[in-house]
Amino acid sequence: MNFDKASLQKEISYKTSRSGGKGGQNVNKVSSKVELLFNINESVLFTDEEKLLLNEKLQSRFNKDGSVQVICDEERSQYLNKEIAMERLIALLGNALIRPKIRKKRKVSKAAKLARLGNKKAQADKKESRKKNFDI
C-alpha cells in the first residue's frame, strides 16, 4: 500500500450532521455524525491500474458523485467518529487493493494416485472381511 493516514487526510472531505442514538439532549444540539467522502478518480495516491481495481471492487460503495462514502455515528464525539470513519476507509482501500493469488493447475502425481487407490483397496478388503458367509 502506497498510502497512509496523513496523505489520505489531504484528499478527504467530511460532512457532519446531527445523529440519532445515545446522547440525550446532546443529540439535538451537536453534529456528531460524520460522512467521509473520498473520490478515487481524482486521487493522486493511486496509479491508473490501482484506480481501475478500486473502482471495480468498490462499485457498491460509491454515491451519485462517484465518491466512496463512509458514514459513522457510533460515538458521541465528532472527532472519534472521524477517526473511526478514517480507519474504515483505510481498511476498505487496503482490502480492495489485495489481488488474490492466481491458482496454478497441478497434475496429481503417480505416487499420490497409487497411494489413494491402495487405501481404497485396503478399505474394501477390510469391509469384505467383515461380511458373514450365509452360503454354508
Side-chain angles (χ1 to χ4, degrees):
M1 293 189 311
N2 57 349
F3 64 92
D4 60 342
K5 198 172 185 178
S7 58
L8 270 177
Q9 196 76 37
K10 296 173 187 171
E11 299 187 0
I12 288 175
S13 62
Y14 293 100
K15 286 184 186 176
T16 57
S17 60
R18 280 183 259 170
S19 170
K22 61 186 178 183
Q25 290 182 356
N26 186 54
V27 171
N28 300 327
K29 294 187 281 185
V30 181
S31 297
S32 61
K33 179 180 180 179
V34 173
E35 186 177 327
L36 181 147
L37 298 168
F38 176 66
N39 194 325
I40 292 173
N41 295 324
E42 295 176 5
S43 175
V44 295
L45 298 174
F46 303 107
T47 64
D48 290 336
E49 186 180 313
E50 289 174 331
K51 286 179 184 180
L52 283 172
L53 187 65
L54 288 171
N55 281 326
E56 186 179 307
K57 288 196 176 180
L58 299 177
Q59 193 70 40
S60 63
R61 299 295 299 238
F62 289 150
N63 62 6
K64 65 182 178 209
D65 302 327
S67 298
V68 174
Q69 184 176 23
V70 178
I71 298 173
C72 183
D73 62 350
E74 294 173 3
E75 298 293 331
R76 290 172 64 171
S77 159
Q78 187 184 96
Y79 174 76
L80 288 176
N81 283 333
K82 279 184 180 180
E83 291 296 314
I84 292 170
M86 174 62 88
E87 294 301 322
R88 284 184 189 166
L89 178 69
I90 290 172
L92 199 66
L93 293 174
N95 289 338
L97 286 174
I98 294 172
R99 289 194 181 104
K101 285 186 179 179
I102 297 171
R103 184 179 182 274
K104 297 175 184 171
K105 290 184 180 178
R106 299 284 188 226
K107 195 173 180 182
V108 180
S109 68
K110 205 173 223 182
K113 282 184 184 178
L114 288 173
R116 183 179 59 85
L117 292 173
N119 288 338
K120 283 180 75 172
K121 182 68 176 157
Q123 189 73 6
D125 290 342
K126 188 193 309 179
K127 291 186 179 245
E128 187 68 35
S129 69
R130 292 181 186 157
K131 285 186 180 177
K132 295 180 181 172
N133 194 356
F134 292 112
D135 295 337
I136 301 176

